[in-house]
Amino acid sequence: MAARATDVMRSADDGREETGLERLDRNTNELVQEMRVAAVGIQVLLAFLLVVPFQTGWKDVTSFDRDEYFVTLVSIAIAAALLIAPSIHHRILFREHEKDYLVQVGNRLVIIAAGFLTVGFTGIFVLLAHVLFGGVAATVAGAVTALAISAVWFGLPLNHRRHRKTGGCDAAARRQEGNKALPPVRAH
């Protein structure tokens, strides 16, 4: 017999005892908090990018700089639109009992937005390095920025997930040994 959203269930992956609705509420709250963090960064980047062409020296930039700027602006704008989308979806589907859908789609949109944000961050560093130091510095700045952000934002969690699934992570192994509680993380 299938479990209802109101039935209390013990999750195999985290040991919580919560109903399906409680889990959806928690997942929604976590997603909203993560979107708030990303939204602040995007607001600052978009504001910076929107004023750049109106600076007095902008007319002297190369066509490469203008093209780079536009790709960066579009990337940040797409990231902003993707991050705003889950709140619009929520308003449209409010009280329609679609929270599971909203969490799943919101999660995907935030991850895709992070990809566009990676392109945007990289573009900003390429543009600044090209204007300040020239082509080689722009290439280095772009490569370092793209690699660093990709490694931290995508590489670390994907690597952790891979190790967890293959049993290479001690924490995952302890969870699989009967869902024993992990020791609390202490702040230093």
Side-chain angles (χ1 to χ4, degrees):
M1 186 163 129
R4 294 179 313 206
T6 56
D7 292 340
V8 175
M9 299 175 283
R10 182 171 192 87
S11 172
D13 42 347
D14 64 10
R16 296 175 194 259
E17 290 185 16
E18 58 191 357
T19 66
L21 291 175
E22 289 169 336
R23 174 170 289 244
L24 285 173
D25 287 342
R26 180 176 51 81
N27 290 341
T28 300
N29 288 333
E30 290 172 359
L31 181 63
V32 167
Q33 293 304 320
E34 292 160 358
M35 288 169 46
R36 284 182 180 154
V37 170
V40 171
I42 286 181
Q43 288 170 347
V44 170
L45 290 174
L46 197 53
F48 164 75
L49 289 170
L50 290 175
V51 300
V52 166
F54 300 104
Q55 302 303 310
T56 55
W58 181 252
K59 63 180 180 261
D60 299 327
V61 298
T62 66
S63 62
F64 171 83
D65 294 333
R66 277 190 286 283
D67 294 345
E68 176 63 25
Y69 165 81
F70 190 70
V71 168
T72 301
L73 177 65
V74 168
S75 297
I76 298 296
I78 291 171
L82 291 170
L83 279 176
I84 293 168
S87 63
I88 305 300
H89 293 191
H90 183 262
R91 283 297 96 206
I92 292 170
L93 296 173
F94 186 64
R95 293 191 176 149
E96 296 289 329
H97 307 289
E98 293 291 341
K99 196 171 273 190
D100 186 53
Y101 165 83
L102 292 168
V103 169
Q104 289 180 23
V105 169
N107 180 62
R108 288 185 187 116
L109 292 174
V110 168
I111 292 169
I112 295 167
F116 281 100
L117 193 53
T118 300
V119 172
F121 269 126
T122 302
I124 287 171
F125 279 91
V126 168
L127 179 62
L128 292 173
H130 190 260
V131 169
L132 295 173
F133 306 110
V136 174
T139 303
V140 171
V144 168
T145 302
L147 286 173
I149 291 174
S150 295
V152 173
W153 287 0
F154 303 105
L156 289 175
L158 289 172
N159 187 50
H160 175 75
R161 185 169 70 180
R162 183 176 53 85
H163 281 293
R164 185 181 51 121
K165 286 184 178 180
T166 61
C169 178
D170 292 338
R174 282 188 285 179
R175 275 195 300 272
Q176 291 173 353
E177 290 176 8
N179 271 337
K180 297 176 185 170
L182 295 174
V185 176
R186 295 183 304 175
H188 296 282

